[in-house]
Amino acid sequence: MDLAFTAEELAFRDEVRTWLEEHRPREQRPHDRKGIREFDTAWQRTQYEGGWAGIAWPTEYGGRGLPLVQALIWFEEYGRLGLPGIDACFVGLSHAGPTLIERASEAQKEYHLPRILEGKVVWCQGFSEPEAGSDLAALQTRAVIDGDQLVVTGQKIWTSYADVADWQELLVRTDRDAPKHKGITWVICDMSSPGIDVRPIRTMDGEEEFCEVFYNEVRIPLANVVGEINHGWSVAMSTLSFERGTAFTVNQVRLATVVEELIDLAKQRTSPDGRRPWIQDDEMARRLATVRAEVAAMRAMTYAGISRSMRHGSPGPEGSIIKLYYSDLAQEVYRLAFDLVGDDGIEFVSRWVKGGWSGGYLFSHAASIGGGTSEIQRNIIGERVLGLPR
Ligand SMILES: Cc1cc2nc3c(=O)[nH]c(=O)nc-3n(C[C@H](O)[C@H](O)[C@H](O)COP(=O)(O)OP(=O)(O)OC[C@H]3O[C@@H](n4cnc5c(N)ncnc54)[C@H](O)[C@@H]3O)c2cc1C
């Protein structure tokens, strides 16, 4: 395995860095939901116009068709500069779009993919339900076929950005008598359809990023089904493997930046005994060195994962290892931040702002739940990576 970047990749990194430094948004990301949507989609449009949208997407669907390693370089430079995430565009770019590329009809691809890349639309993910999170196949939102439409009734929960979304990747039960994995359909839902009621949920970090979504006889054209009726489970597995794959790279790089900020902070702050900079305290130095080494280990795992994905075409279950490792590490890093800033961390500062330790700490708890909990990642690693018995 060659761990060094080629001259061509290094030149690409310079090009990315220069472009990002010139075009990065200068203003703060707003706090209101409409403002967030406008900000994120405008930044995505800027990237598209600059030729940076869909770096690893095939050229026939508007991407650059570059190898995944180039996408990794993009994410690394993006995270290094601490740029705002394009969170409202995340589902479209990171898992709905890639799922459509792999599984959708040509007509579906032709309509949706350019809109995602151009930042014209926001997508959300309607998978989880009140009684179906980890056990996703237990979902009960039902859809019956009526002519050339599906009629959907039920409820989803924890749907990030549903309040500002145009489209949704929606899982519905189309056969109630079949074994639970066999009666599910993956369908594209227009969020402006009559019968959809979206109710935001406020989380402990003060944000309202996710919602409950209620469906009361919502009509969706059968033409919006991706794959086949009742065969949506395997489409959903593609979506989840993309969700747990390279999409997390920006978060990982951001975490590396946070660790370096903490090391600077430990040089500036005095230890609790008031006698020396905190970095000179053996225990603090040990903890900082450990998280720095762990961030480096995570980076090595990401490189190995990308190298495997490039050989096999799609991300495999190994993404679960990185996701699990990231979740534990993010929580450790923010605990450390809190120990360092002490009472100064009590006042709430959003994670979107530099020095937002409290917001970052609260949000780090979401890492071990969203995209599948840490326990579920451990099950996947045990069963699908290590081949252990169920
Ligand atoms: C920030 C964030 C964003 C999210 N965005 C979305 C979104 O956009 N769309 C969407 O559909 N969902 C979204 N979710 C929901 C997320 O996918 C679910 O919360 C997650 O899958 C867990 O499901 P649950 O909350 O129902 O918990 P449960 O499944 O009820 O789990 C409760 C506890 O039991 C444990 N547990 C359950 N089953 C097992 C098992 N077999 N073995 C061991 N332990 C087990 C779990 O690990 C957990 O600790 C989001 C969640 C977060 C935190």
Side-chain angles (χ1 to χ4, degrees):
M1 182 176 178
D2 185 359
L3 287 172
F5 288 102
T6 63
E8 194 193 336
E9 286 157 2
L10 290 174
F12 180 79
R13 188 183 288 280
D14 284 344
E15 198 192 335
V16 168
R17 188 173 296 173
T18 307
W19 188 87
L20 283 173
E21 276 166 358
E22 273 173 23
H23 295 86
R24 60 190 289 176
R26 306 281 161 198
E27 64 281 16
Q28 276 288 337
R29 193 172 186 258
H31 288 292
D32 66 293
R33 303 293 299 159
K34 203 163 156 268
I36 285 173
R37 179 194 156 109
E38 272 162 26
F39 182 90
D40 288 4
T41 50
W43 175 214
Q44 175 58 27
R45 258 193 308 282
T46 305
Q47 292 173 41
Y48 173 78
E49 283 157 11
W52 296 103
I55 291 170
W57 284 28
T59 45
E60 60 196 296
Y61 302 122
R64 295 264 300 249
L66 295 174
L68 267 183
V69 67
Q70 251 92 344
L72 168 80
I73 290 171
W74 166 267
F75 288 135
E76 285 193 331
E77 291 304 311
Y78 192 105
R80 199 184 56 79
L81 284 173
L83 298 181
I86 32 156
D87 288 36
C89 302
F90 179 85
V91 169
L93 287 165
S94 303
H95 47 93
T99 305
L100 295 180
I101 290 173
E102 201 170 88
R103 309 297 291 264
S105 68
E106 283 311 312
Q108 290 165 337
K109 290 182 202 179
E110 201 180 310
Y111 181 81
H112 290 288
L113 294 175
R115 288 168 172 77
I116 292 174
L117 283 186
E118 289 166 31
K120 284 188 175 155
V121 290
V122 169
W123 276 66
C124 63
Q125 179 187 43
F127 280 21
S128 306
E129 297 182 4
E131 299 302 327
S134 301
D135 186 11
L136 183 58
L139 62 93
Q140 292 299 329
T141 293
R142 74 168 190 280
V144 289
I145 298 174
D146 181 23
D148 59 358
Q149 294 178 324
L150 283 172
V151 183
V152 177
T153 301
Q155 182 198 346
K156 297 288 168 177
I157 194 167
W158 317 126
T159 318
S160 307
Y161 291 88
D163 54 335
V164 292
D166 306 287
W167 297 98
Q168 183 179 53
E169 44 180 33
L170 174 64
L171 289 183
V172 290
R173 181 158 302 284
T174 32
D175 184 347
R176 301 179 95 176
D177 301 323
K180 66 180 183 179
H181 293 87
K182 300 227 164 112
I184 292 173
T185 300
W186 198 109
V187 64
I188 303 168
C189 173
D190 179 346
M191 290 298 284
S192 64
S193 310
I196 295 186
D197 180 16
V198 177
R199 301 183 199 163
I201 304 171
R202 181 175 286 254
T203 45
M204 66 178 173
D205 67 352
E207 309 281 350
E208 284 186 354
E209 280 188 11
F210 42 43
C211 310
E212 290 177 291
V213 183
F214 296 86
Y215 309 78
N216 184 10
E217 302 202 340
V218 175
R219 293 189 162 265
I220 303 177
L222 278 173
N224 285 12
V225 169
V226 172
E228 287 168 46
I229 289 277
N230 295 333
H231 288 82
W233 184 250
S234 78
V235 187
M237 290 304 100
S238 296
T239 311
L240 292 181
S241 70
F242 287 119
E243 188 176 356
R244 294 164 189 164
T246 41
F248 269 108
T249 312
V250 172
N251 296 2
Q252 293 162 20
V253 179
R254 250 196 231 155
L255 198 61
T257 317
V258 169
V259 168
E260 296 310 311
E261 282 171 20
L262 288 182
I263 291 170
D264 285 345
L265 211 62
K267 289 177 187 160
Q268 292 154 19
R269 291 199 162 233
T270 312
S271 62
D273 61 14
R275 286 207 234 126
R276 55 197 164 162
W278 211 347
I279 191 88
Q280 287 173 16
D281 175 272
D282 281 353
E283 177 57 12
M284 182 51 76
R286 187 194 62 75
R287 286 177 73 190
L288 286 166
T290 304
V291 290
R292 192 189 244 175
E294 285 174 342
V295 162
M298 181 168 65
R299 188 174 173 174
M301 280 193 270
T302 303
Y303 285 5
I306 293 220
S307 161
R308 261 192 302 269
S309 289
M310 283 169 66
R311 278 201 307 277
H312 300 302
S314 292
E318 296 88 351
S320 291
I321 301 176
I322 302 175
K323 182 179 181 299
L324 174 64
Y325 194 86
Y326 167 81
S327 307
D328 286 350
L329 187 53
Q331 288 166 8
E332 173 59 25
V333 165
Y334 279 102
R335 258 196 308 274
L336 181 50
F338 248 103
D339 290 345
L340 258 174
V341 296
D343 292 351
D344 294 345
I346 290 174
E347 191 189 339
F348 178 79
V349 182
S350 162
R351 72 179 195 278
W352 298 103
V353 177
K354 195 170 158 54
W357 306 115
S358 45
Y361 173 76
L362 293 175
F363 191 72
S364 71
H365 291 81
S368 49
I369 306 172
T373 67
S374 289
E375 289 76 17
I376 294 305
Q377 306 309 328
R378 286 193 177 90
N379 287 349
I380 295 171
I381 295 164
E383 289 162 19
R384 289 171 44 203
V385 181
L386 301 175
L388 299 175
R390 288 180 69 103

Tab-separated table of all heavy atoms in Angstrom, residues 312-352:
chain	number	residue	atom	x	y	z
A	312	HIS	N	-13.272	-1.739	-4.643
A	312	HIS	CA	-14.526	-2.503	-4.741
A	312	HIS	C	-15.693	-1.715	-5.340
A	312	HIS	O	-16.762	-2.265	-5.536
A	312	HIS	CB	-14.927	-3.025	-3.359
A	312	HIS	CG	-13.880	-3.925	-2.772
A	312	HIS	ND1	-13.462	-5.064	-3.398
A	312	HIS	CD2	-13.149	-3.835	-1.636
A	312	HIS	CE1	-12.518	-5.640	-2.672
A	312	HIS	NE2	-12.308	-4.912	-1.604
A	313	GLY	N	-15.536	-0.405	-5.551
A	313	GLY	CA	-16.608	0.358	-6.193
A	313	GLY	C	-17.526	1.064	-5.214
A	313	GLY	O	-17.824	2.220	-5.367
A	314	SER	N	-17.988	0.367	-4.170
A	314	SER	CA	-18.902	0.978	-3.194
A	314	SER	C	-18.331	0.821	-1.799
A	314	SER	O	-17.570	-0.118	-1.546
A	314	SER	CB	-20.252	0.264	-3.206
A	314	SER	OG	-20.900	0.493	-4.398
A	315	PRO	N	-18.729	1.727	-0.866
A	315	PRO	CA	-18.242	1.563	0.504
A	315	PRO	C	-18.792	0.281	1.121
A	315	PRO	O	-19.928	-0.097	0.863
A	315	PRO	CB	-18.773	2.796	1.230
A	315	PRO	CG	-19.841	3.355	0.374
A	315	PRO	CD	-19.597	2.885	-1.025
A	316	GLY	N	-18.014	-0.400	1.905
A	316	GLY	CA	-18.464	-1.644	2.536
A	316	GLY	C	-18.814	-1.417	3.996
A	316	GLY	O	-18.822	-0.270	4.457
A	317	PRO	N	-19.089	-2.497	4.737
A	317	PRO	CA	-19.462	-2.349	6.147
A	317	PRO	C	-18.334	-1.801	7.015
A	317	PRO	O	-18.565	-1.411	8.153
A	317	PRO	CB	-19.823	-3.786	6.566
A	317	PRO	CG	-19.196	-4.682	5.554
A	317	PRO	CD	-19.065	-3.888	4.295
A	318	GLU	N	-17.096	-1.712	6.459
A	318	GLU	CA	-15.982	-1.185	7.260
A	318	GLU	C	-16.221	0.257	7.683
A	318	GLU	O	-15.634	0.734	8.647
A	318	GLU	CB	-14.654	-1.246	6.478
A	318	GLU	CG	-14.184	-2.638	6.136
A	318	GLU	CD	-14.754	-3.121	4.802
A	318	GLU	OE1	-15.636	-2.434	4.260
A	318	GLU	OE2	-14.321	-4.178	4.338
A	319	GLY	N	-17.099	0.969	6.948
A	319	GLY	CA	-17.450	2.345	7.327
A	319	GLY	C	-17.940	2.388	8.761
A	319	GLY	O	-17.774	3.390	9.463
A	320	SER	N	-18.541	1.283	9.220
A	320	SER	CA	-19.048	1.218	10.597
A	320	SER	C	-17.917	1.321	11.616
A	320	SER	O	-18.106	1.848	12.703
A	320	SER	CB	-19.798	-0.104	10.826
A	320	SER	OG	-20.985	-0.092	10.072
A	321	ILE	N	-16.738	0.805	11.253
A	321	ILE	CA	-15.603	0.862	12.196
A	321	ILE	C	-15.210	2.325	12.407
A	321	ILE	O	-15.025	2.784	13.533
A	321	ILE	CB	-14.388	0.066	11.652
A	321	ILE	CG1	-14.778	-1.397	11.421
A	321	ILE	CG2	-13.194	0.186	12.585
A	321	ILE	CD1	-13.673	-2.244	10.794
A	322	ILE	N	-15.119	3.055	11.294
A	322	ILE	CA	-14.696	4.457	11.387
A	322	ILE	C	-15.765	5.276	12.109
A	322	ILE	O	-15.466	6.123	12.947
A	322	ILE	CB	-14.408	5.038	9.985
A	322	ILE	CG1	-13.328	4.194	9.309
A	322	ILE	CG2	-13.975	6.493	10.080
A	322	ILE	CD1	-13.020	4.582	7.884
A	323	LYS	N	-17.027	5.001	11.808
A	323	LYS	CA	-18.097	5.763	12.442
A	323	LYS	C	-18.087	5.547	13.955
A	323	LYS	O	-18.208	6.484	14.737
A	323	LYS	CB	-19.457	5.388	11.858
A	323	LYS	CG	-20.544	6.230	12.504
A	323	LYS	CD	-21.908	5.983	12.006
A	323	LYS	CE	-22.900	6.882	12.706
A	323	LYS	NZ	-22.992	6.709	14.132
A	324	LEU	N	-17.918	4.297	14.366
A	324	LEU	CA	-17.881	3.977	15.791
A	324	LEU	C	-16.700	4.674	16.469
A	324	LEU	O	-16.837	5.300	17.521
A	324	LEU	CB	-17.756	2.451	15.952
A	324	LEU	CG	-17.572	1.915	17.358
A	324	LEU	CD1	-18.783	2.221	18.217
A	324	LEU	CD2	-17.338	0.393	17.328
A	325	TYR	N	-15.550	4.587	15.820
A	325	TYR	CA	-14.326	5.185	16.377
A	325	TYR	C	-14.500	6.704	16.486
A	325	TYR	O	-14.171	7.316	17.509
A	325	TYR	CB	-13.165	4.835	15.446
A	325	TYR	CG	-11.808	5.085	16.038
A	325	TYR	CD1	-11.187	4.125	16.827
A	325	TYR	CD2	-11.121	6.275	15.796
A	325	TYR	CE1	-9.925	4.346	17.363
A	325	TYR	CE2	-9.868	6.500	16.330
A	325	TYR	CZ	-9.273	5.530	17.105
A	325	TYR	OH	-8.027	5.756	17.633
A	326	TYR	N	-15.060	7.310	15.427
A	326	TYR	CA	-15.270	8.764	15.419
A	326	TYR	C	-16.191	9.191	16.566
A	326	TYR	O	-15.931	10.155	17.266
A	326	TYR	CB	-15.863	9.213	14.074
A	326	TYR	CG	-16.387	10.628	14.129
A	326	TYR	CD1	-15.514	11.706	14.010
A	326	TYR	CD2	-17.741	10.890	14.363
A	326	TYR	CE1	-15.975	13.005	14.109
A	326	TYR	CE2	-18.207	12.184	14.454
A	326	TYR	CZ	-17.325	13.243	14.328
A	326	TYR	OH	-17.779	14.521	14.441
A	327	SER	N	-17.287	8.445	16.760
A	327	SER	CA	-18.279	8.826	17.776
A	327	SER	C	-17.645	8.843	19.169
A	327	SER	O	-17.820	9.797	19.927
A	327	SER	CB	-19.450	7.846	17.798
A	327	SER	OG	-19.971	7.706	16.519
A	328	ASP	N	-16.903	7.780	19.492
A	328	ASP	CA	-16.254	7.719	20.815
A	328	ASP	C	-15.245	8.853	20.967
A	328	ASP	O	-15.181	9.521	21.994
A	328	ASP	CB	-15.507	6.378	20.985
A	328	ASP	CG	-16.482	5.227	21.214
A	328	ASP	OD1	-17.675	5.497	21.425
A	328	ASP	OD2	-16.032	4.058	21.160
A	329	LEU	N	-14.478	9.073	19.892
A	329	LEU	CA	-13.412	10.071	19.956
A	329	LEU	C	-13.982	11.489	20.081
A	329	LEU	O	-13.488	12.296	20.870
A	329	LEU	CB	-12.536	9.932	18.705
A	329	LEU	CG	-11.265	10.758	18.644
A	329	LEU	CD1	-10.398	10.548	19.881
A	329	LEU	CD2	-10.457	10.406	17.389
A	330	ALA	N	-15.047	11.776	19.321
A	330	ALA	CA	-15.644	13.123	19.379
A	330	ALA	C	-16.106	13.406	20.812
A	330	ALA	O	-15.897	14.501	21.347
A	330	ALA	CB	-16.818	13.224	18.409
A	331	GLN	N	-16.698	12.403	21.456
A	331	GLN	CA	-17.184	12.622	22.828
A	331	GLN	C	-16.008	12.820	23.784
A	331	GLN	O	-16.027	13.690	24.648
A	331	GLN	CB	-18.089	11.462	23.246
A	331	GLN	CG	-19.423	11.557	22.506
A	331	GLN	CD	-20.283	10.327	22.573
A	331	GLN	OE1	-19.996	9.381	23.294
A	331	GLN	NE2	-21.351	10.308	21.800
A	332	GLU	N	-14.927	12.077	23.579
A	332	GLU	CA	-13.738	12.217	24.427
A	332	GLU	C	-13.114	13.605	24.240
A	332	GLU	O	-12.752	14.283	25.202
A	332	GLU	CB	-12.743	11.100	24.069
A	332	GLU	CG	-11.382	11.180	24.730
A	332	GLU	CD	-11.453	11.157	26.255
A	332	GLU	OE1	-12.432	10.632	26.788
A	332	GLU	OE2	-10.521	11.705	26.895
A	333	VAL	N	-13.032	14.051	22.985
A	333	VAL	CA	-12.404	15.353	22.696
A	333	VAL	C	-13.200	16.479	23.360
A	333	VAL	O	-12.639	17.374	23.984
A	333	VAL	CB	-12.288	15.562	21.161
A	333	VAL	CG1	-11.985	17.008	20.810
A	333	VAL	CG2	-11.232	14.628	20.587
A	334	TYR	N	-14.522	16.418	23.263
A	334	TYR	CA	-15.316	17.509	23.845
A	334	TYR	C	-15.360	17.434	25.377
A	334	TYR	O	-15.472	18.462	26.045
A	334	TYR	CB	-16.710	17.561	23.216
A	334	TYR	CG	-16.656	18.269	21.883
A	334	TYR	CD1	-16.662	17.573	20.689
A	334	TYR	CD2	-16.537	19.654	21.827
A	334	TYR	CE1	-16.562	18.223	19.469
A	334	TYR	CE2	-16.443	20.321	20.616
A	334	TYR	CZ	-16.454	19.596	19.437
A	334	TYR	OH	-16.341	20.263	18.240
A	335	ARG	N	-15.226	16.231	25.938
A	335	ARG	CA	-15.094	16.129	27.419
A	335	ARG	C	-13.805	16.811	27.851
A	335	ARG	O	-13.764	17.565	28.807
A	335	ARG	CB	-15.056	14.655	27.841
A	335	ARG	CG	-16.388	14.160	28.414
A	335	ARG	CD	-16.233	12.851	29.161
A	335	ARG	NE	-15.555	11.815	28.392
A	335	ARG	CZ	-16.166	10.980	27.542
A	335	ARG	NH1	-17.477	11.035	27.389
A	335	ARG	NH2	-15.488	10.080	26.875
A	336	LEU	N	-12.771	16.561	27.084
A	336	LEU	CA	-11.465	17.163	27.361
A	336	LEU	C	-11.559	18.691	27.248
A	336	LEU	O	-11.026	19.428	28.081
A	336	LEU	CB	-10.456	16.583	26.364
A	336	LEU	CG	-8.998	17.005	26.405
A	336	LEU	CD1	-8.426	16.891	27.811
A	336	LEU	CD2	-8.189	16.119	25.463
A	337	ALA	N	-12.265	19.148	26.215
A	337	ALA	CA	-12.443	20.595	26.034
A	337	ALA	C	-13.113	21.189	27.263
A	337	ALA	O	-12.701	22.239	27.770
A	337	ALA	CB	-13.288	20.867	24.790
A	338	PHE	N	-14.117	20.503	27.770
A	338	PHE	CA	-14.831	21.014	28.939
A	338	PHE	C	-13.931	21.070	30.162
A	338	PHE	O	-13.966	22.022	30.943
A	338	PHE	CB	-16.059	20.143	29.226
A	338	PHE	CG	-17.310	20.904	28.977
A	338	PHE	CD1	-18.051	20.695	27.834
A	338	PHE	CD2	-17.734	21.871	29.869
A	338	PHE	CE1	-19.187	21.430	27.583
A	338	PHE	CE2	-18.871	22.612	29.629
A	338	PHE	CZ	-19.601	22.388	28.474
A	339	ASP	N	-13.073	20.052	30.343
A	339	ASP	CA	-12.145	20.065	31.472
A	339	ASP	C	-11.198	21.249	31.354
A	339	ASP	O	-10.816	21.865	32.342
A	339	ASP	CB	-11.353	18.753	31.537
A	339	ASP	CG	-12.261	17.590	31.939
A	339	ASP	OD1	-13.381	17.858	32.424
A	339	ASP	OD2	-11.860	16.422	31.751
A	340	LEU	N	-10.832	21.567	30.109
A	340	LEU	CA	-9.890	22.671	29.883
A	340	LEU	C	-10.524	24.042	30.102
A	340	LEU	O	-9.923	24.913	30.720
A	340	LEU	CB	-9.382	22.594	28.443
A	340	LEU	CG	-7.999	22.016	28.216
A	340	LEU	CD1	-7.733	21.883	26.730
A	340	LEU	CD2	-6.952	22.931	28.828
A	341	VAL	N	-11.702	24.239	29.570
A	341	VAL	CA	-12.296	25.594	29.666
A	341	VAL	C	-13.003	25.813	30.997
A	341	VAL	O	-13.273	26.946	31.383
A	341	VAL	CB	-13.258	25.908	28.491
A	341	VAL	CG1	-12.515	25.932	27.176
A	341	VAL	CG2	-14.423	24.944	28.419
A	342	GLY	N	-13.270	24.732	31.730
A	342	GLY	CA	-13.864	24.852	33.067
A	342	GLY	C	-15.161	25.648	33.056
A	342	GLY	O	-16.011	25.455	32.173
A	343	ASP	N	-15.290	26.584	33.990
A	343	ASP	CA	-16.534	27.353	34.128
A	343	ASP	C	-16.863	28.151	32.867
A	343	ASP	O	-18.023	28.441	32.600
A	343	ASP	CB	-16.436	28.326	35.312
A	343	ASP	CG	-16.390	27.565	36.625
A	343	ASP	OD1	-16.607	26.340	36.594
A	343	ASP	OD2	-16.112	28.194	37.664
A	344	ASP	N	-15.844	28.511	32.088
A	344	ASP	CA	-16.099	29.301	30.868
A	344	ASP	C	-16.948	28.525	29.870
A	344	ASP	O	-17.493	29.104	28.937
A	344	ASP	CB	-14.788	29.685	30.179
A	344	ASP	CG	-13.982	30.647	31.036
A	344	ASP	OD1	-14.567	31.204	31.993
A	344	ASP	OD2	-12.785	30.825	30.748
A	345	GLY	N	-17.028	27.216	30.063
A	345	GLY	CA	-17.806	26.412	29.120
A	345	GLY	C	-19.272	26.328	29.477
A	345	GLY	O	-20.072	25.761	28.730
A	346	ILE	N	-19.635	26.893	30.627
A	346	ILE	CA	-21.026	26.732	31.071
A	346	ILE	C	-21.985	27.524	30.178
A	346	ILE	O	-23.055	27.072	29.826
A	346	ILE	CB	-21.180	27.135	32.559
A	346	ILE	CG1	-20.466	26.077	33.413
A	346	ILE	CG2	-22.650	27.238	32.960
A	346	ILE	CD1	-20.397	26.398	34.860
A	347	GLU	N	-21.538	28.720	29.783
A	347	GLU	CA	-22.418	29.527	28.916
A	347	GLU	C	-22.542	28.842	27.562
A	347	GLU	O	-21.535	28.394	26.988
A	347	GLU	CB	-21.817	30.917	28.730
A	347	GLU	CG	-22.791	31.857	28.083
A	347	GLU	CD	-22.107	33.164	27.694
A	347	GLU	OE1	-21.047	33.471	28.257
A	347	GLU	OE2	-22.652	33.832	26.819
A	348	PHE	N	-23.773	28.754	27.068
A	348	PHE	CA	-23.979	28.023	25.809
A	348	PHE	C	-23.460	28.823	24.617
A	348	PHE	O	-23.822	29.972	24.423
A	348	PHE	CB	-25.471	27.713	25.607
A	348	PHE	CG	-25.708	27.009	24.301
A	348	PHE	CD1	-25.447	25.656	24.183
A	348	PHE	CD2	-26.137	27.703	23.181
A	348	PHE	CE1	-25.626	24.992	22.965
A	348	PHE	CE2	-26.317	27.056	21.965
A	348	PHE	CZ	-26.063	25.696	21.867
A	349	VAL	N	-22.599	28.217	23.832
A	349	VAL	CA	-22.153	28.820	22.562
A	349	VAL	C	-22.356	27.768	21.481
A	349	VAL	O	-21.896	26.623	21.622
A	349	VAL	CB	-20.654	29.229	22.618
A	349	VAL	CG1	-20.241	29.887	21.305
A	349	VAL	CG2	-20.375	30.153	23.787
A	350	SER	N	-23.057	28.150	20.420
A	350	SER	CA	-23.381	27.197	19.357
A	350	SER	C	-22.128	26.546	18.776
A	350	SER	O	-21.074	27.162	18.675
A	350	SER	CB	-24.135	27.940	18.249
A	350	SER	OG	-24.104	27.173	17.064
A	351	ARG	N	-22.258	25.294	18.357
A	351	ARG	CA	-21.111	24.585	17.788
A	351	ARG	C	-20.665	25.195	16.467
A	351	ARG	O	-19.585	24.901	15.964
A	351	ARG	CB	-21.441	23.109	17.605
A	351	ARG	CG	-22.404	22.795	16.482
A	351	ARG	CD	-22.624	21.299	16.414
A	351	ARG	NE	-23.243	20.873	15.177
A	351	ARG	CZ	-24.544	20.914	14.936
A	351	ARG	NH1	-25.384	21.376	15.861
A	351	ARG	NH2	-25.019	20.491	13.779
A	352	TRP	N	-21.490	26.057	15.886
A	352	TRP	CA	-21.152	26.663	14.609
A	352	TRP	C	-20.163	27.818	14.791
A	352	TRP	O	-19.622	28.342	13.820
A	352	TRP	CB	-22.411	27.192	13.910
A	352	TRP	CG	-23.372	26.088	13.605
A	352	TRP	CD1	-24.526	25.793	14.283
A	352	TRP	CD2	-23.257	25.109	12.564
A	352	TRP	NE1	-25.128	24.701	13.732
A	352	TRP	CE2	-24.375	24.263	12.665
A	352	TRP	CE3	-22.322	24.879	11.561
A	352	TRP	CZ2	-24.568	23.194	11.798
A	352	TRP	CZ3	-22.522	23.819	10.700
A	352	TRP	CH2	-23.645	22.992	10.826
